[in-house]
Amino acid sequence: MREVDVMGVRVEMPSNQPIVLLREVSGDRYLPIWIGAVEATAIAFAQQGVVPPRPLTHDLMKDILAATGNELSQVRITDVKDGVFYATLVFGSGAEVSARPSDSIALALRTGTTIYCSDDVLDEAGLAVPAEQEDEVEKFREFLDHVSPEDFEAH
């Protein structure tokens, strides 16, 4: 398993499909995962520190964990089959729950939990970005600095 950082979310054109982009912490691979608009908004809210007036689903999950004394110790992106990614929530008690990566990432961002990705997933679906292509990554980072959750709402 390799630790990954959440670079952010964006809308892939021309499909108008949101993606979350993860980056290998100690490597040069990026992992794009196509996600739903609701999950893209949840991830963007968490990254921007937006606190909704009433808790959204991932905020509720965080509150439930805190109220019951449970700790989310890791998020693991474990598999990809036919373009579908799979994740596992690992709790301090040792319990593990299967989850979608998008929900797992949204919860991890709210709880400060480290996200890991299996080597097999990175080998199969990761994209190596050579140093000379870092300009494109920087453009993506600039996009992330200016995107808002409303950009993911259905029109």
Side-chain angles (χ1 to χ4, degrees), residues 2-6 22-25 77 115-117 122:
R2 306 254 181 184
E3 185 177 347
V4 293
D5 282 335
V6 180
L22 305 176
R23 179 183 57 84
E24 185 178 24
V25 170
I77 299 171
I115 303 169
Y116 296 93
C117 185
L122 284 167

Side-chain angles (χ1 to χ4, degrees), residues 61-125:
M61 292 169 64
K62 174 188 160 214
D63 292 347
I64 290 170
L65 290 173
T68 60
N70 286 298
E71 176 191 346
L72 180 62
S73 61
Q74 293 184 7
V75 164
R76 297 179 185 161
I77 299 171
T78 57
D79 205 358
V80 58
K81 294 178 187 168
D82 299 321
V84 177
F85 289 83
Y86 297 83
T88 301
L89 302 174
V90 181
F91 297 93
S93 66
E96 296 186 5
V97 176
S98 178
R100 296 182 306 178
S102 55
D103 290 326
S104 303
I105 291 165
L107 186 57
L109 289 172
R110 282 165 174 75
T111 57
T113 303
T114 305
I115 303 169
Y116 296 93
C117 185
S118 79
D119 290 318
D120 290 344
V121 170
L122 284 167
D123 290 345
E124 182 174 337

Side-chain angles (χ1 to χ4, degrees), residues 8-78:
V9 291
R10 70 173 283 187
V11 176
E12 184 66 25
M13 299 307 276
S15 67
N16 211 31
Q17 177 73 32
I19 65 167
V20 61
L21 184 65
L22 305 176
R23 179 183 57 84
E24 185 178 24
V25 170
S26 58
D28 63 353
R29 292 179 289 185
Y30 289 79
L31 183 67
I33 300 176
W34 279 258
I35 60 175
V38 171
E39 293 78 14
T41 301
I43 291 168
F45 271 6
Q47 285 197 301
Q48 295 173 7
V50 173
V51 178
R54 301 281 298 148
L56 299 176
T57 303
H58 301 97
D59 302 304
L60 175 63
M61 292 169 64
K62 174 188 160 214
D63 292 347
I64 290 170
L65 290 173
T68 60
N70 286 298
E71 176 191 346
L72 180 62
S73 61
Q74 293 184 7
V75 164
R76 297 179 185 161
I77 299 171
T78 57

Side-chain angles (χ1 to χ4, degrees), residues 135-153:
D135 287 345
E136 289 300 313
V137 173
E138 188 56 39
K139 287 179 190 174
F140 182 69
R141 286 186 182 133
E142 287 178 26
F143 167 83
L144 295 175
D145 289 340
H146 298 96
V147 70
S148 72
E150 291 77 29
D151 295 332
F152 300 102
E153 292 177 1

